[in-house]
């Protein structure tokens, strides 16, 4: 992509920005070979959200839920960050204050070197006991024999499920970063899940740019839309900022 691929107002806004807020979703990791949720081969095409990503589904059938998460954990640990993950890590060095709020739970932003990452929907690096709160590291998933904890409750993935609140501290930090942003980049999310999607609309002063091959619920509210994959668009933007 060249300078002409981007709106000049967008590049100028980013160049002069003091505060940049980046909201990302599963599309961020598509070019690392990981499925999205609502895409053609997305998880929600052949799995039911309420069975796999809700407290009720877990209470009904913890083994099925853990089998699904274990598969994802193994896919994540076998995947590598793509150029789209490395670009925001480089952007952090170019702007005075940058925050990434991600809906992904694959840890690829951190593995690419980003420092200031808020994981809105938790992560899959550990399991937490629903009773006593003790945690277990999850390098290769959770052995099925360990699901039931000796305290009488069960281990669950350290993620946020539908119907649950986002971690308060993470949410407050994301809200204030979005509210002070001069530029907001919305990357690889269908923007269908709230409250995360609402972060993009936290302030009416910021220049909002969407990077996504397809239109989303936020496209009409954005100041510019870049219809490209994250691994192509984000490195091109960082390159242009360095000129
Ligand atoms: P979705 O699967 O809803 O959306 C993925 C988005 O990524 C779509 O808009 C795609 O067009 C876009 N996309 C695909 N390939 C891309 C690429 N190479 N570069 C950029 N964008 C690309 O995933 P999310 O919006 O992350 O929540 O979903 C939000 C939440 O819904 C998830 O965190 C998860 C899910 O249910 C929970 O499990 C709580």
């Amino acid at each position: 992509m060249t300078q002409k691929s981007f709106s000049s107002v967008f590049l100028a806004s980013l160049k002069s920005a003091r505060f940049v807020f980046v909201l990302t979703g599963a599309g961020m990791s598509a070019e690392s070979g990981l499925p999205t949720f609502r895409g053609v081969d997305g998880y929600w095409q052949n799995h039911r959200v309420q069975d796999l990503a809700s407290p009720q589904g877990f209470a009904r059938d913890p083994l099925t839920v853990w089998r699904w998460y274990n598969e994802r954990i193994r896919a994540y640990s076998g995947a590598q960050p793509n150029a789209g993950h490395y670009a925001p890590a480089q952007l952090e060095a170019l702007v005075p204050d940058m925050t990434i709020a991600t809906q992904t739970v694959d840890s690829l932003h951190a593995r690419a070197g980003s420092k200031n990452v808020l994981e809105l929907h938790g992560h899959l690096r550990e399991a937490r006991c629903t009773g006593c709160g003790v945690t277990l590291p999850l390098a290769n998933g959770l052995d099925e024999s360990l699901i039931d904890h000796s305290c009488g409750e069960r281990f669950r993935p350290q993620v946020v499920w539908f119907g649950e609140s986002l971690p308060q501290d993470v949410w407050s930090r994301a809200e204030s970063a979005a509210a002070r942003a001069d530029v907001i980049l919305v990357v690889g999310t269908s923007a269908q899940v709230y409250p995360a999607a609402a972060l993009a609309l936290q302030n009416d002063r910021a220049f909002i740019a969407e990077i996504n091959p397809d239109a989303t619920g936020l496209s009409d509210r954005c100041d510019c839309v870049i219809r490209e994959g994250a691994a192509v668009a984000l490195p091109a933007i960082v390159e242009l900022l360095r000129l």
Side-chain angles (χ1 to χ4, degrees):
M1 297 181 86
T2 65
Q3 193 145 6
K4 284 194 184 132
S5 319
F6 301 99
S7 115
S8 54
V9 187
F10 167 54
L11 290 177
S13 304
L14 201 49
K15 263 191 178 144
S16 62
R18 283 183 310 137
F19 300 105
V20 174
F21 178 75
V22 186
L23 174 67
T24 71
M28 192 74 222
S29 305
E31 286 151 285
S32 293
L34 297 174
T36 63
F37 291 91
R38 297 174 182 80
V40 187
D41 297 319
Y43 289 120
W44 298 151
Q45 298 302 337
N46 47 23
H47 295 89
R48 282 157 42 97
V49 181
Q50 57 272 40
D51 289 343
L52 298 177
S54 79
Q56 296 78 9
F58 184 64
R60 270 195 306 272
D61 189 352
L63 188 57
T64 298
V65 171
W66 266 115
R67 284 184 177 158
W68 185 61
Y69 278 99
N70 279 343
E71 240 176 68
R72 288 175 59 191
I73 290 164
R74 286 172 201 134
Y76 294 166
S77 58
Q80 297 305 321
N82 65 59
H85 293 106
Y86 287 108
Q90 293 159 0
L91 197 57
E92 272 183 345
L94 299 177
V95 294
D97 180 309
M98 189 175 121
T99 302
I100 299 174
T102 189
Q103 297 163 88
T104 62
V105 294
D106 56 26
S107 305
L108 290 179
H109 278 301
R111 281 175 56 196
S114 283
K115 302 273 183 299
N116 200 10
V117 184
L118 300 172
E119 294 173 308
L120 299 168
H121 293 166
H123 58 81
L124 285 171
R125 295 183 296 278
E126 57 187 28
R128 180 184 84 241
C129 176
T130 55
C132 65
V134 71
T135 57
L136 272 184
L138 283 179
N140 290 306
L142 184 72
D143 191 290
E144 290 173 12
S145 66
L146 298 177
I147 296 174
D148 290 326
H149 190 218
S150 53
C151 79
E153 291 294 335
R154 290 191 183 114
F155 280 102
R156 59 164 285 173
Q158 192 73 284
V159 294
V160 177
W161 281 326
F162 285 92
E164 296 183 319
S165 303
L166 272 51
Q168 187 53 50
D169 171 52
V170 169
W171 177 250
S172 310
R173 288 162 63 199
E175 253 190 328
S176 64
R180 68 176 179 266
D182 305 310
V183 171
I184 296 179
L185 303 178
V186 186
V187 191
T189 176
S190 61
Q192 288 191 38
V193 174
Y194 282 77
L199 288 169
L201 305 172
Q202 277 297 305
N203 84 58
D204 47 20
R205 191 181 36 80
F207 188 97
I208 309 174
E210 176 177 74
I211 296 167
N212 194 314
D214 296 316
T216 75
L218 282 179
S219 302
D220 287 347
R221 311 283 297 271
C222 292
D223 297 295
C224 83
V225 289
I226 299 157
R227 292 277 168 255
E228 255 302 349
V232 171
L234 287 170
I237 291 165
V238 172
E239 242 357 88
L240 290 168
L241 285 188
R242 285 195 168 123
L243 291 179

